[in-house]
Amino acid sequence: MIQILRYGEMANSAVFSRELQNGGLEEKVAEIIAKVRAEGDSALFRYTEKLDHASLEKLEVPSSAFEEAFSELDSEFLAVLEEAAENIRSFHRQQLRGSFVLTEKPGVILGQKLLPLARVGLYVPGGTASYPSSVLMNAIPAKLAGVPEVIMVTPPSGGKIAPSILVAAKIAGVDRVFSIGGAQAVAALAYGTESVPKVDKIVGPGNAYVAEAKKQVFGQVAIDMIAGPSEILVVADGKSDPRVVAADMLSQAEHDKMSAAVLVTDSQELAEKVSAELELQIPLLPRAEIARESIDRNGKIILAADLSLAIEIANEIAPEHLELCVDNPFEYLEQVKNAGSIFMGKNCPEALGDYWAGPNHTLPTLGTARFSSPLSVDDFVKRSSFTYYTAEALQAVAKKVACFAEHEGLLAHARSVLARLDEGEADR
């Protein structure tokens, strides 16, 4: 049964602070990474057979597998995938920005140039569930950014990758796919093997082993984020439908036993009705056991004096997904400061964002929305600045630059500037 609490009865910042048990994970992942670095492909074959129960002849998925996947996929779902991909492209295309050049001062040219990362690795979960949505959300921004090569890794279930995953990869523009998963796949992307090329950045969700592996290889490569279990916070007024609010909360609770679903409302009546609806709806779910534990362990209903305070509570919690289930959501949008993705009004379930609307569903969790953002085109580019001064332009500022350098005690810095002046000017 979900807890109903009045604001002030608990530390709100602790709502999503779920303690994740390590259980020796750090050491296990370190060992896997070391084995892959030392043994390359042979370690990948061995781990794939041991952990994914798949005996492979080759790690890379051949082109014939993509053709077969298209023939196996339901035509209706194929059309849905293609339309969802176009929605995602349309949204992320607006994030593109170019280089710039400044020539405001005589003799001075300043600028910034944007370059795509050369090669990106995309991890896609496999096993008991397949998530083609993750393929679209991660690969499409990378290709829009101009990344020449996107390498996808995903564990084979029973020796085979789900057709929907391969079709989504082709639609999104993924260049190569490898049948590997877990920490060993992350290690292969970070360090390279005989078959798997080394990448510049690893993105995409995964289990605790994948998250730990990404953490350990960070620095060798870039990563998108260390994502925790999924979470949703619904701010709802007293006129909201309790059946709908409960359904939205369960849409995240069914993900994982560590997922969190929270309702913040100004209505005691709604709180009680949502609690009752959760009890009615949980047993109907195929993943009822997972949803049950998620709600019992991490679910909360928080009563606030009014909706403005409800938004303040949401800002303090900084949820991954925030639903504003109110009649006039745009009246409250300006008040929202910390949230990964915001769903506006009573006709906007979070599932729209997971699959269809266009904004990215790779989002900051565990309160990190206070300082980080959803995955975007910006995650797949790097910026270089450039500076050009004529001799006359340098002459005009050289002594000021030298003054600054000497103030910091860096005489060689100062001399590197003054050495370019006329001989008489350089004497100080």
Side-chain angles (χ1 to χ4, degrees):
M1 179 74 71
I2 197 166
Q3 300 179 67
I4 300 179
L5 302 165
R6 291 196 175 278
Y7 179 64
E9 291 180 355
M10 63 177 298
N12 293 300
S13 59
V15 171
F16 285 155
S17 60
R18 288 147 283 164
E19 187 176 343
L20 305 181
Q21 300 299 318
N22 185 289
L25 193 63
E26 187 175 336
E27 294 78 13
K28 293 174 185 176
V29 169
E31 180 183 350
I32 292 172
I33 292 173
K35 290 284 188 183
V36 173
R37 291 188 68 181
E39 302 172 22
D41 281 359
S42 63
L44 296 178
F45 281 114
R46 190 170 65 253
Y47 281 122
T48 301
E49 186 162 4
K50 177 183 177 182
L51 302 175
D52 296 311
H53 311 293
S55 182
L56 304 176
E57 293 183 6
K58 289 186 176 180
L59 298 173
E60 185 166 5
V61 176
S63 58
S64 59
F66 293 91
E67 297 166 8
E68 183 181 344
F70 271 91
S71 68
E72 291 180 7
L73 200 66
D74 174 77
S75 59
E76 182 182 5
F77 183 59
L78 174 59
V80 167
L81 268 180
E82 289 175 334
E83 190 172 350
E86 189 48 47
N87 291 342
I88 295 165
R89 280 193 197 94
S90 179
F91 180 85
H92 288 81
R93 200 175 282 123
Q94 302 304 311
Q95 297 173 340
L96 290 169
R97 51 181 172 166
S99 304
F100 65 81
V101 176
L102 299 176
T103 56
E104 297 171 354
K105 296 180 179 179
V108 177
I109 301 174
L110 307 175
Q112 177 177 277
K113 67 174 188 173
L114 268 68
L115 292 168
L117 302 181
R119 185 185 288 134
V120 168
L122 164 57
Y123 189 95
V124 176
T128 57
S130 62
Y131 299 105
S133 59
S134 291
V135 181
L136 301 181
M137 290 290 182
N138 285 270
I140 287 174
K143 297 310 285 188
L144 282 173
V147 175
E149 194 171 15
V150 175
I151 308 296
M152 189 176 95
V153 295
T154 187
S157 178
K160 185 179 179 181
I161 296 172
S164 61
I165 294 290
L166 294 180
V167 171
K170 188 61 69 174
I171 290 172
V174 171
D175 297 284
R176 299 173 70 184
V177 179
F178 292 85
S179 298
I180 50 175
Q184 62 271 23
V186 174
L189 291 173
Y191 295 99
T193 70
E194 299 93 324
S195 299
V196 183
K198 176 181 175 181
V199 303
D200 299 312
K201 186 168 189 172
I202 300 172
V203 300
N207 63 16
Y209 280 84
V210 171
E212 177 61 30
K214 286 169 70 175
K215 187 186 300 184
Q216 291 191 24
V217 301
F218 175 65
Q220 172 67 28
V221 292
I223 62 172
D224 50 354
M225 63 184 76
I226 303 295
S230 187
E231 54 200 41
I232 185 170
L233 189 150
V234 181
V235 171
D237 60 29
K239 294 180 286 182
S240 296
D241 185 338
R243 179 181 56 88
V244 168
V245 172
D248 288 0
M249 294 172 73
L250 290 173
S251 73
Q252 296 308 294
E254 73 172 352
H255 264 299
D256 188 294
K257 292 178 180 180
M258 295 303 295
S259 296
V262 173
L263 166 65
V264 185
T265 180
D266 60 351
S267 168
Q268 174 84 40
E269 181 181 3
L270 179 70
E272 293 172 356
K273 287 183 176 180
V274 169
S275 177
E277 273 293 332
L278 289 170
E279 296 307 307
L280 290 174
Q281 293 185 30
I282 288 173
L284 304 177
L285 298 173
R287 297 167 69 90
E289 183 182 351
I290 292 172
R292 172 85 274 163
E293 187 165 345
S294 168
I295 290 295
D296 289 350
R297 179 189 291 182
N298 303 309
K300 303 280 188 304
I301 297 177
I302 302 173
L303 291 168
D306 52 45
L307 291 179
S308 290
L309 178 58
I311 300 292
E312 288 182 29
I313 295 169
N315 283 331
E316 187 173 349
I317 293 169
E320 177 188 18
H321 306 103
L322 172 62
E323 285 190 8
L324 295 181
C325 197
V326 297
D327 285 333
N328 300 299
F330 287 95
E331 290 183 11
Y332 297 95
L333 181 58
E334 189 65 27
Q335 297 177 41
V336 176
K337 305 301 180 185
N338 301 323
S341 192
I342 307 164
F343 300 86
M344 307 286 288
K346 296 181 178 179
N347 302 302
C348 196
E350 183 277 333
L352 274 173
D354 278 343
Y355 304 112
W356 191 256
N360 211 282
H361 78 193
T362 302
L363 304 167
T365 59
L366 296 172
T368 59
R370 292 180 297 109
F371 51 79
S372 54
S373 307
L375 192 76
S376 73
V377 168
D378 287 340
D379 286 287
F380 300 101
V381 297
K382 58 183 179 179
R383 294 173 290 278
S384 295
S385 56
F386 59 87
T387 303
Y388 171 81
Y389 272 59
T390 63
E392 294 76 15
L394 178 63
Q395 184 98 8
V397 301
K399 290 185 178 180
K400 296 176 183 178
V401 177
C403 174
F404 209 140
E406 288 169 355
H407 180 81
E408 293 190 346
L410 298 173
L411 187 58
H413 279 63
R415 285 178 173 169
S416 72
V417 177
L418 297 175
R420 288 171 165 79
L421 302 186
D422 293 338
E423 196 168 313
E425 288 288 321
D427 293 335
R428 290 176 61 106

